[in-house]
Amino acid sequence: MKTIKVRVLLTCAGFAIACSIPGQQVLAQAVKAKPAKRASEKPLPLDAEVRTGKLPNGFTYYIRHNQEPRNRVTFYLANKIGSVLENEEQRGLAHFMEHMSFNGTKHFPKSELVNYLQKSGVRFGADLNAYTSFDETVYQLPLPSDNPEILKNGIQIMRDWAHEATLDTTEINKERGVILEEKRLGKGSQERMQRQYLPMMLNHSRYSVRLPIGTDDVLNNFKPEAINSFYHDWYRPNLQALIVVGDINVDQMEKTIKATFGDLKNPAHEKPRTQYTVPLTGQNQFMSITDKEMTVTVAQVMMKQPGLVLKTAGDYRQNIIRGLFNRMIGARYGELQRKANPPFLQGGSDISAFLGGLDTYTMFVAAKPGELENGFKAVWRETERIKRFGFTQTELDRAKTSYMSDMESALKEKNKTNSDSYVGEYLQYFLKGSASPGISYEYQLVKNDLPGISITEVNLLGKTAIKSTNRDIMLLAPEKDKNTLPAQATVTQWIKAVETENLVPYNDEVSKQALLATAPAGGKIVAETKDAALNTTTLTLSNGVKVILKPTDFKDNEILFTGFTPGGSSLYTDADFQSAANASGIISSFGVGNYNPTQLEKYLTGKQINVSPFIGERTQGISGSATPKDFETALELLYAYYTEPRKDADLFSSIITRSKAGLANRANDPNAVFQDTVSDVLGNHSIRRTGPTIAKINQINLDRMYAIYKERFADASALTLTFVGNFDADKIKPLLEKYIGSLPAKHLGEEAKDLGIHAPEGLITKTVYKGSEPKATVDLVWTGTFDYNPSSKVTMDALKEALEIRLLERLREDESGVYAPGVYMNMGKYPTSRFSMIVNFGCAPKNVDKLIASTLDEISKLKSSGPPQVNIDKWRAESLRTQEIAVRTNNWWLNYINGQTLDKEDVHQHDNFNKEVNKVSIQDIKDAALKYLNGKNYIRLVLLPEETPAP
């Protein structure tokens, strides 16, 4: 379960937390006192498609019928209750209470709630979940809506979560260890630095001493009375809302909610729900922090200001202006990043919501080693340029086009919008009062307001948001750079120096050339076959390309595609590997056709497309997405990546320089060191599997890389392209002939090579000692050859799930030793059929051996007697329910058809999926465990702190 919503800009540079905006009631009352309102001052209406009401006890509900996905409903119980409401003896108990809601309620004692839902096809963690933040606690429960009994119990679970948790003392004491393990997972350089800068960043407000995860002292020692008191005080109907969106009868659901939640009682002497804020002090603050595990030097400047409250049409207009501002400033920094030699690794700025009623204009830079001043000034220079000169009309025109395109795309998907999207909107409406008028209403607002927004208005936002007061500057850096970091006066001088520079306005250069230097000659469809059962059409073009078309009605505004040709980097020597492996990513970053990357970005303004070439180990190809309107442009771009790649020595030098700088301190990070070790061991020490190094980057040669790219995309005769989405197969045939039929064809008949790289055989143990925090990471790996067939794949999935259920029950619930154990199963057919199963968890170093022993014991039980039937039933219910939703998505069909084609498997295998799932037995899983988890090929990989004594 989640604990705190934090968005981190590169190595903990940024901090943006979802929060309530205080003071809304006072502002609303002030507006009501006026004799009349302009239209822009009136609150926007709530989406007309949602049924809302408030019961006499203050309990609020929102209900909407929605059929995406079919036969599903999503429940959210929202509580205006978070860690900010805790007293000193309760620090961490808002989050602890969230956990306890899954560990016993009136109608579902102990772990029966999770047990029941798993048997109903609901996955713990993936579906069933919750989070606690500073100002809210939210529970989520997606359920099948076509089973009246499950639906009825779902409502009961929501009622139990609202105020019928049992808070059994034994369960509380068991859960202490789980939460402490969750807290342990967060420990490291980011958490250590956060503890130092958070009080300053939050202006020493209450938020700064109420992190949701709490304190070790409270978590270890609080009395049950403390959490009972928190629960009694705050889990009350006048702070709660139930959000229900899905394939349900709204009238019946409303009646059920009224009957189920109407008798909830508020406390007789309820505590006021204080709206806490982060006060503006008018002061500027500075902090410099170093940590030995930090890998890069980051500078961040935050300018705090009153938050934008989104309630009225006027507020919405201001929000549009902010959106335009952020699009344009993002494009500016993107262009700067693509310069021949930008003096930083990463940089940018934006205006966004912060916390406690504040917004911030935030600028950040991740500097190259030893170049903090140059990097800081370069990023600040763009901020100053925007403040001084603003944006240009052509930039605004592009931003408006892009903004309107996004709104049009959302409107076209109005009838195919997932229920989770609606739930999210109504959640913010309840928690923050953020307007939620519905996409049709919003589209009309944008259509009306966007043309009238002037460049003067947008530029005024820059002048008001970029401030010299209420400004925090933070420097975060590796410990070895502590003595060279600048003082506050020095950084302030850097800012002043830039502000006195003779800057010139931004020059917006837009190419008027066509994308392609040479128009495609076109080809012809020479063969066509149809598969009525699969609803696909397979075309063969005159150049040999095979195109598989599957039109669907799952989305109204989406077409997905992917294609592959055998070969990939396997055809190149180890000496060429780095150039081959990086060719597609680097060459495509140079732009394509007549456009460099900046020109290409401007050319694609307003177009909803994404096209990416790739070179993998065994294939090369291309993948992407588009709306029906932009489909031809996507095909044009696909053709360009095959036939007109660009080579740019300046951009190449920039990428290589920044990549090396980014690796300079990689060895500081314990997790990076451990993952590099894992890759090295599982790849049997092949240089194609080991982690990134500066030496490897030095092997990338521009000329060789460009030559390899052109070789890989010079022959499309064996290309298989799959398109899935909203299109008419007959209508797009001319476009396929024009662009796909023109792809080059040499008919070389290449096949990928078997490099013989796989995990080593035998028993292997490797321990890495890195890091200072008292935490360990464990990876246990089983590998070997595999009988690749549909039955075996389904059985292995059942084995994986049965083991994960038991590890969750034993390692977490019974032993309180881990937070979230995971089991991962991989099965592949080529170059040889093999499998790997990985068990992963984090824990206290002292518990490593004990928890590994428990894991091996559970595997031994699988081999000796198989899993309990109930665990197979849980897996079966989850698999069938998950598949019901998956097969109603374009993405699933694209991956399925492409995967079956790549593996040369029957594309009709899916027809037997339910049969295969239903026939899996205890004996099948037992046999699979005996065969594949026999202990002959077992690798134990452990990360321990540096001070841990070696065995």
Side-chain angles (χ1 to χ4, degrees), residues 27-99:
L27 289 173
Q29 290 165 1
V31 171
K32 288 179 182 177
K34 295 181 181 180
K37 292 182 182 179
R38 296 193 303 269
S40 63
E41 295 175 333
K42 294 179 180 179
L44 292 171
L46 179 62
D47 189 343
E49 298 294 323
V50 64
R51 177 88 53 87
T52 185
K54 182 176 286 189
L55 304 183
N57 58 9
F59 189 86
T60 306
Y61 61 85
Y62 306 88
I63 315 168
R64 178 180 181 134
H65 178 78
N66 186 57
Q67 291 186 229
E68 291 296 331
R70 295 176 185 172
N71 298 324
R72 292 293 185 278
V73 61
T74 297
F75 293 94
Y76 267 47
L77 179 69
N79 304 270
K80 294 179 179 178
I81 304 159
S83 58
V84 77
L85 300 178
E86 299 162 348
N87 61 36
E88 279 298 316
E89 289 70 38
Q90 296 172 335
R91 290 177 64 180
L93 297 195
H95 173 239
F96 206 113
M97 185 59 241
E98 172 217 313
H99 276 239

Side-chain angles (χ1 to χ4, degrees), residues 643-911:
T643 62
E644 297 184 9
R646 294 170 63 98
K647 182 163 65 169
D648 191 315
D650 288 338
L651 285 179
F652 174 75
S653 176
S654 171
I655 291 170
I656 295 300
T657 300
R658 285 188 289 116
S659 297
K660 289 180 181 179
L663 290 176
N665 298 304
R666 182 178 174 84
N668 291 359
D669 182 356
N671 293 319
V673 172
F674 182 61
Q675 288 308 313
D676 288 349
T677 302
V678 171
S679 298
D680 181 38
V681 173
L682 298 185
N684 209 5
H685 312 295
S686 167
I687 64 168
R688 298 181 184 234
R689 298 289 188 271
T690 51
T693 64
I694 291 176
K696 285 186 175 183
I697 292 176
N698 286 332
Q699 294 174 10
I700 303 173
N701 178 274
L702 175 59
D703 292 334
R704 184 61 182 134
M705 181 176 63
Y706 184 71
I708 289 172
Y709 181 95
K710 296 194 72 174
E711 288 170 6
R712 289 300 87 222
F713 292 94
D715 181 14
S717 60
L719 174 65
T720 300
L721 265 170
T722 302
F723 293 86
V724 178
N726 184 20
F727 57 80
D728 183 311
D730 289 330
K731 289 183 178 179
I732 69 170
K733 285 178 182 177
L735 296 177
L736 298 175
E737 289 181 318
K738 178 180 179 180
Y739 293 103
I740 309 303
S742 297
L743 295 178
K746 295 184 178 180
H747 303 281
L748 298 176
E750 291 179 321
E751 293 291 341
K753 291 182 179 179
D754 181 357
L755 300 174
I757 303 172
H758 56 73
E761 297 179 350
L763 306 180
I764 297 171
T765 297
K766 181 71 174 179
T767 302
V768 175
Y769 296 92
K770 188 71 177 177
S772 58
E773 294 290 348
K775 69 176 185 177
T777 301
V778 176
D779 280 357
L780 307 178
V781 187
W782 290 260
T783 67
T785 57
F786 178 63
D787 294 334
Y788 194 93
N789 60 68
S791 294
S792 293
K793 289 194 294 180
V794 169
T795 301
M796 290 294 268
D797 184 62
L799 168 62
K800 170 258 177 195
E801 186 67 18
L803 178 59
E804 189 166 71
I805 290 172
R806 277 301 300 144
L807 294 183
L808 186 69
E809 292 171 345
R810 180 165 175 175
L811 304 190
R812 174 175 164 137
E813 302 302 334
D814 296 342
E815 300 183 13
S816 301
V818 304
Y819 172 61
V823 182
Y824 309 92
M825 185 74 74
N826 297 298
M827 296 160 281
K829 185 175 181 180
Y830 294 109
T832 57
S833 296
R834 295 187 62 84
F835 84 97
S836 67
M837 187 184 82
I838 301 176
V839 173
N840 168 267
F841 55 82
C843 65
K846 66 180 181 180
N847 291 333
V848 166
D849 290 338
K850 180 183 73 171
L851 293 169
I852 289 177
S854 295
T855 301
L856 297 179
D857 183 54
E858 289 302 321
I859 291 175
S860 178
K861 290 177 181 177
L862 286 176
K863 292 190 290 185
S864 63
S865 55
Q869 182 63 46
V870 66
N871 289 350
I872 298 180
D873 294 341
K874 290 177 180 178
W875 161 79
R876 183 174 289 122
E878 291 174 8
S879 296
L880 295 176
R881 286 294 187 179
T882 300
Q883 194 73 355
E884 283 180 13
I885 296 176
V887 297
R888 292 285 305 166
T889 65
N890 292 327
N891 194 59
W892 186 89
W893 279 106
L894 182 74
N895 290 331
Y896 172 73
I897 294 172
N898 184 69
Q900 293 297 100
T901 307
L902 183 62
D903 285 341
K904 302 175 184 177
E905 293 282 314
D906 182 6
V907 291
H908 294 281
Q909 279 181 9
H910 170 68
D911 296 343

Side-chain angles (χ1 to χ4, degrees), residues 27 36 272 308 389 401 411 448 494 515 553 616 682 706 770 798:
L27 289 173
L308 173 62
F389 302 111
T401 299
L411 183 67
N448 293 339
W494 292 351
L515 171 64
D553 61 359
L682 298 185
Y706 184 71
K770 188 71 177 177

Side-chain angles (χ1 to χ4, degrees), residues 5 18-22 24 60 62 76-82 131 133 135-139 239-241 243 273 275 311 423-434:
K5 292 178 169 181
C19 58
S20 305
I21 298 177
Q24 292 175 340
T60 306
Y62 306 88
Y76 267 47
L77 179 69
N79 304 270
K80 294 179 179 178
I81 304 159
Y131 76 83
S133 190
D135 284 299
E136 76 251 22
T137 302
V138 179
Y139 300 86
L239 294 177
Q240 295 175 317
I243 303 169
R273 199 323 188 173
Q275 293 294 323
K311 285 181 172 292
V423 169
E425 284 198 37
Y426 307 146
L427 178 66
Q428 296 310 308
Y429 180 82
F430 173 70
L431 294 174
K432 302 181 183 180
S434 298

Side-chain angles (χ1 to χ4, degrees), residues 312-322 449 452-454 457:
T312 68
D315 298 333
Y316 196 91
R317 191 176 192 277
Q318 288 301 312
N319 193 58
I320 295 173
I321 293 172
R322 174 183 290 189
D449 284 343
I453 293 175
S454 68
E457 287 180 277

